[in-house]
Amino acid sequence: MNNIDWLNALETPFLLIDEFRFQRNIDRLYQRTEKLGSQIRPHLKTLRSIEAGRYLLKDAASPATVSTLAEAEAFAAAGYTNLLYAVGIAPHKLPRIASLIRKGVNIHILLDSPEQARAVTDYARANGVTFSVFIEIDCDGHRGGIPPESDALLELAQQIDGNGATLTGLLAHAGESYACRTDEAIRAAARTECKAINIAGQRVRALGIACPVLSVGATPTAHFAEDLTGITEVRAGVFTTFDLVMKNVGVCSLDDIALSVVSTVIGHNREKGWVFIDAGWMALSRDRGTASQAKDYGYGLVCDLYGSPYHDLCVTITNQEHGIIALPADSGLSVDNFPVGTRLRILPNHACATAAMHQHYQVLKSHRNEQETWQRITGW
Amino acid sequence: MNNIDWLNALETPFLLIDEFRFQRNIDRLYQRTEKLGSQIRPHLKTLRSIEAGRYLLKDAASPATVSTLAEAEAFAAAGYTNLLYAVGIAPHKLPRIASLIRKGVNIHILLDSPEQARAVTDYARANGVTFSVFIEIDCDGHRGGIPPESDALLELAQQIDGNGATLTGLLAHAGESYACRTDEAIRAAARTECKAINIAGQRVRALGIACPVLSVGATPTAHFAEDLTGITEVRAGVFTTFDLVMKNVGVCSLDDIALSVVSTVIGHNREKGWVFIDAGWMALSRDRGTASQAKDYGYGLVCDLYGSPYHDLCVTITNQEHGIIALPADSGLSVDNFPVGTRLRILPNHACATAAMHQHYQVLKSHRNEQETWQRITGW
């Protein structure tokens, strides 16, 4: 493992994906979910990459989730046809949705209000197109959605279905599970998420609306759910690479983290015990997701170039293109352990935010440590 | 001003530059600095855009500062020839520097250690190239650099100059000035910065080394310095657009902020008084720079589409593609004031971080509110 010349040759900073860990993370969740009788609709927002998506989507009709129309259009152009755009639909975005539908893409939109539904049915009628709609269900007060027991849900379902739109599914997202501190808390969040969507599903179906898809998911609940009865699909995104936030939540170990930023030592402040690297927040992101968790990793955990973490060594401060690693007094390390030119890997707080700072990713392939480059889909 | 159709027609979210404010900010600092007998070497890292750079660089040889070699190469390709790469040089980056020198670009590199100097002089000798070097001077313990009174400075200057390199200048950066709370504190930081570089300059020149450039700067000190005697150039970056952090430091007013993100309302949580917009941290960045300041603006200050701020209305929470505006109970506003489809402008905490989330910028031109698009230089 110690002779990967290209890791030393590429310009730094760069984002590195470890294919072995990436594949292992995917296998773990897919096998777990299939055993529970459901399937994964992966959220592609973390890496936004066709090349990465191929590991997740077995065939053209495999279900997928996207966070932007830019992703939807790129995955559609790559041949994928079952795409859920899981951000509440804004009316001005309907022409782009309609254009995908006319190309034969089974794209689903999300909404939770009568005014959105009206915009959708009006547009459908005026333009001779039929939309596939998901209604967002609120399971934990985290963001948007309608309570599963509400009259508003039934009214919205009837407003949509058959009026230029098909009510394809209901969606819940246990956003609060990211704040869980124990496995049992995550299991409870998963039960709440499934219960909410099952209640909502029964009530909508009692109206005579088929509503075939019941969709739940967040990376923590996807890994801890014990009973997926009635759940037709589970969404998860960051699980392919994981990160320090997920490690703190208890969903993965440090050794599962498949994404890092490779950086070079560019200087020292000997008096302060500071090591400067060429990865600032432009390469690592401004995400400080571990700041509110039990273990704060600063702007990321420092590893050697081959991925072995230095115990408790973090990027302490970032400027735009500088990172500062403040060596703890009790670490036994001095700046001389990190000569100028030394390369280090930094594990990220939040993989989605770190990946967003890069236009492409370097991939360390399982096969003979070969190199591959994946492109990120940018923009909206 | 209220009939700018294109602001309503473009896909959201998008980054908007107000050219009138942008030009006014530039004029203010350039005129101020020229009156004090110095000149601006603008730091191009905020927007990283050739189109934006044209407002700052009068001719091909105008001095400029960049934070990455990607910017240096792009500005060189656009014809600019006087570029300071103001991040400590890593030895493996020297071939790209040498390549620019061979193309006739006057590119300057920065260092502060004997090991970096050795790498530079060794490479120069082996490859028949002469580097132009700046030494970083530490004026406030903020990051890197050498104390101006140190023996190390003189040793380093002698190690460099004439050994495959020319010592072109000394550079100080009053990074601590971003934490100032009063105008007088910024003025004091500016005095400290200038004093450090003048002392360093006198000591180096006493060795018989010409070292023609004495460079200081940070946006706060650039706007408050009262005496630039001996200072040949002043660096500043974020001053072209400003942001909420700079407003809190006291360098600009809200009305000076020339950069915002245009976003669309996509939903509500009526019970909580939440308005959802389609600008999450992907569009706004994760930067929470105002969190540690007197006035915390969350993830940004909310304005109407034409730029008038709502008093104390901020983006409170962000997910990747969702922003949540929590309406304060005493604001007199309800979610009905923000119907789905409403467009809003969000002023950023930190313009550099927000701009970094976008691949291009939409520009509202002073002339008849016309539209223009500027491209961002990406990568390293």
Side-chain angles (χ1 to χ4, degrees):
Chain A
M1 183 80 170
N2 283 6
N3 278 308
I4 309 170
D5 290 343
W6 64 268
L7 281 180
N8 269 305
L10 285 176
E11 182 58 280
T12 55
F14 64 88
L15 190 143
L16 183 71
I17 304 279
D18 181 315
E19 188 203 36
F20 175 79
R21 292 180 167 99
F22 181 76
Q23 184 67 62
R24 187 174 65 185
N25 295 337
I26 294 169
D27 292 345
R28 173 183 165 202
L29 186 62
Y30 274 57
Q31 288 165 13
R32 181 180 203 289
T33 306
E34 281 160 23
K35 269 186 203 153
L36 289 170
S38 193
Q39 67 175 334
I40 295 290
R41 181 189 283 276
H43 205 313
L44 305 172
K45 76 187 176 79
T46 302
L47 295 181
R48 297 178 55 145
S49 159
I50 303 292
E51 297 94 331
R54 296 200 199 288
Y55 288 73
L56 295 153
L57 306 174
K58 284 178 207 156
D59 56 58
S62 293
T65 316
V66 295
S67 64
T68 59
L69 294 184
E71 291 157 79
E73 288 161 351
F75 275 91
Y80 295 102
T81 59
N82 183 351
L83 304 170
L84 167 62
Y85 171 48
V87 175
I89 192 72
H92 79 271
K93 291 179 180 164
L94 291 171
R96 286 171 73 186
I97 301 288
S99 171
L100 286 169
I101 293 171
R102 290 200 186 95
K103 288 177 186 161
V105 179
N106 189 14
I107 183 160
H108 318 288
I109 57 177
L110 181 68
L111 54 79
D112 66 359
S113 72
E115 55 194 316
Q116 285 171 302
R118 197 172 315 119
V120 168
T121 55
D122 285 356
Y123 187 95
R125 226 170 282 136
N127 294 277
V129 64
T130 303
F131 291 103
S132 169
V133 174
F134 279 53
I135 294 176
E136 186 167 4
I137 303 299
D138 179 9
C139 65
D140 61 6
H142 180 70
R143 194 163 61 196
I146 307 179
E149 314 266 15
S150 63
D151 292 341
L153 170 61
L154 303 185
E155 290 160 14
L156 192 58
Q158 289 174 309
Q159 184 187 349
I160 294 163
D161 199 60
N163 295 312
T166 304
L167 182 58
T168 302
L170 304 175
L171 173 153
H173 172 60
E176 288 299 306
S177 66
Y178 297 103
C180 288
R181 292 283 178 272
T182 66
D183 294 0
E184 179 46 33
I186 306 175
R187 281 191 284 268
R191 286 192 294 272
T192 303
E193 191 182 40
C194 291
K195 188 178 170 194
I197 209 83
N198 272 317
I199 289 172
Q202 286 159 17
R203 295 181 70 227
V204 167
R205 288 167 181 168
L207 296 173
I209 299 173
C211 189
V213 179
L214 297 186
S215 182
V216 297
T219 286
T221 55
H223 287 78
F224 281 86
E226 296 167 307
D227 181 358
L228 294 175
T229 305
I231 305 302
T232 59
E233 62 180 42
V234 176
R235 302 180 326 285
V238 78
F239 74 99
T240 63
T241 62
F242 286 125
D243 53 28
L244 294 166
V245 164
M246 284 296 122
K247 184 264 172 191
N248 275 344
V249 173
V251 185
C252 70
S253 70
L254 280 184
D255 188 55
D256 292 326
I257 299 177
L259 184 155
S260 60
V261 172
V262 177
S263 177
T264 303
V265 173
I266 56 171
H268 307 116
N269 183 319
R270 190 169 287 274
E271 280 178 32
K272 295 191 176 182
W274 283 359
V275 176
F276 299 110
I277 59 174
D278 66 357
W281 57 253
M282 266 300 299
L284 298 171
S285 95
R286 269 291 193 202
D287 197 286
R288 288 283 290 107
T290 59
S292 57
Q293 295 186 308
K295 171 79 183 160
D296 183 349
Y297 287 102
Y299 284 91
L301 180 65
V302 180
C303 305
D304 69 19
L305 182 57
Y306 305 103
S308 299
Y310 289 94
H311 182 67
D312 277 354
L313 201 60
C314 296
V315 180
T316 322
I317 301 170
T318 54
N319 296 148
Q320 188 158 342
E321 300 291 354
H322 296 80
I324 299 178
I325 302 166
L327 303 177
D330 61 357
S331 66
L333 294 167
S334 87
V335 298
D336 295 322
N337 294 103
F338 303 94
V340 166
T342 303
R343 292 191 170 211
L344 300 168
R345 275 195 214 180
I346 314 298
L347 299 182
N349 281 324
H350 184 181
C352 305
T354 301
M357 307 312 288
H358 297 261
Q359 279 71 52
H360 53 259
Y361 316 131
Q362 305 301 334
V363 183
L364 175 61
K365 300 281 281 184
S366 309
H367 181 68
R368 299 169 121 190
N369 292 328
E370 283 167 2
Q371 178 197 358
E372 190 172 281
T373 304
W374 295 351
Q375 297 301 316
R376 180 179 174 88
I377 302 156
T378 58
W380 287 270
Chain B
M1 183 80 169
N2 282 6
N3 277 308
I4 309 171
D5 290 342
W6 64 268
L7 281 180
N8 269 304
L10 285 177
E11 182 59 280
T12 56
F14 64 88
L15 190 143
L16 182 70
I17 305 279
D18 181 316
E19 188 203 36
F20 175 79
R21 291 180 168 100
F22 180 77
Q23 184 67 62
R24 188 175 63 185
N25 295 337
I26 293 168
D27 292 345
R28 174 185 164 201
L29 185 61
Y30 274 56
Q31 287 166 12
R32 181 181 202 287
T33 307
E34 282 160 24
K35 270 187 204 152
L36 289 170
S38 192
Q39 66 175 332
I40 294 291
R41 181 188 282 276
H43 204 314
L44 305 172
K45 76 188 176 78
T46 301
L47 296 180
R48 296 177 55 143
S49 160
I50 303 291
E51 296 94 332
R54 296 201 198 287
Y55 288 72
L56 294 153
L57 306 174
K58 284 178 206 157
D59 55 58
S62 292
T65 316
V66 296
S67 64
T68 60
L69 294 185
E71 291 158 78
E73 288 161 351
F75 275 91
Y80 295 103
T81 59
N82 182 351
L83 305 170
L84 167 62
Y85 171 48
V87 175
I89 192 71
H92 79 270
K93 293 179 180 165
L94 291 172
R96 287 171 73 186
I97 302 289
S99 171
L100 286 169
I101 293 170
R102 289 199 187 95
K103 287 175 185 161
V105 179
N106 189 15
I107 183 161
H108 318 288
I109 58 176
L110 182 67
L111 55 77
D112 65 0
S113 72
E115 54 194 317
Q116 286 170 303
R118 198 172 315 118
V120 167
T121 56
D122 285 355
Y123 187 95
R125 226 169 282 136
N127 294 275
V129 63
T130 303
F131 291 103
S132 168
V133 175
F134 278 55
I135 294 177
E136 186 168 3
I137 303 300
D138 180 10
C139 64
D140 61 5
H142 180 69
R143 193 164 61 198
I146 307 180
E149 315 266 14
S150 64
D151 292 341
L153 170 61
L154 303 186
E155 289 161 15
L156 193 57
Q158 288 174 309
Q159 184 186 350
I160 293 164
D161 199 61
N163 295 312
T166 303
L167 182 58
T168 302
L170 304 175
L171 173 153
H173 172 59
E176 287 299 306
S177 67
Y178 297 103
C180 288
R181 292 284 178 273
T182 66
D183 294 359
E184 179 45 32
I186 306 175
R187 280 190 285 268
R191 286 192 295 270
T192 303
E193 192 182 39
C194 291
K195 187 179 170 192
I197 208 83
N198 272 316
I199 290 172
Q202 286 159 16
R203 295 183 69 229
V204 167
R205 288 168 181 168
L207 297 173
I209 298 173
C211 188
V213 179
L214 297 186
S215 181
V216 297
T219 286
T221 55
H223 286 79
F224 281 87
E226 296 167 306
D227 181 359
L228 294 176
T229 304
I231 305 302
T232 59
E233 61 180 42
V234 176
R235 301 179 327 283
V238 78
F239 73 99
T240 63
T241 63
F242 284 125
D243 54 28
L244 294 166
V245 164
M246 284 297 122
K247 184 262 172 192
N248 275 343
V249 174
V251 185
C252 70
S253 71
L254 280 183
D255 189 55
D256 291 325
I257 300 177
L259 183 155
S260 60
V261 172
V262 177
S263 176
T264 303
V265 173
I266 57 172
H268 306 114
N269 184 319
R270 189 168 287 274
E271 279 177 31
K272 295 191 175 183
W274 283 358
V275 176
F276 300 110
I277 59 174
D278 66 357
W281 57 253
M282 267 299 300
L284 298 171
S285 95
R286 269 291 193 202
D287 197 286
R288 288 283 290 105
T290 58
S292 57
Q293 295 185 309
K295 171 79 183 160
D296 184 349
Y297 287 101
Y299 284 92
L301 180 65
V302 180
C303 306
D304 68 20
L305 181 57
Y306 305 103
S308 298
Y310 289 94
H311 181 65
D312 277 353
L313 201 60
C314 296
V315 180
T316 322
I317 300 171
T318 54
N319 296 148
Q320 188 158 344
E321 299 291 353
H322 295 82
I324 299 179
I325 301 166
L327 304 176
D330 61 357
S331 67
L333 295 167
S334 89
V335 298
D336 296 321
N337 294 103
F338 302 95
V340 167
T342 303
R343 293 191 169 210
L344 300 168
R345 275 195 214 179
I346 314 298
L347 300 182
N349 281 325
H350 184 181
C352 306
T354 301
M357 307 311 287
H358 297 261
Q359 280 70 50
H360 52 259
Y361 317 130
Q362 305 301 335
V363 183
L364 175 61
K365 300 282 279 185
S366 308
H367 181 67
R368 300 169 115 190
N369 292 326
E370 282 166 3
Q371 179 198 357
E372 190 171 281
T373 303
W374 295 351
Q375 298 300 317
R376 181 180 173 88
I377 301 155
T378 59
W380 287 270

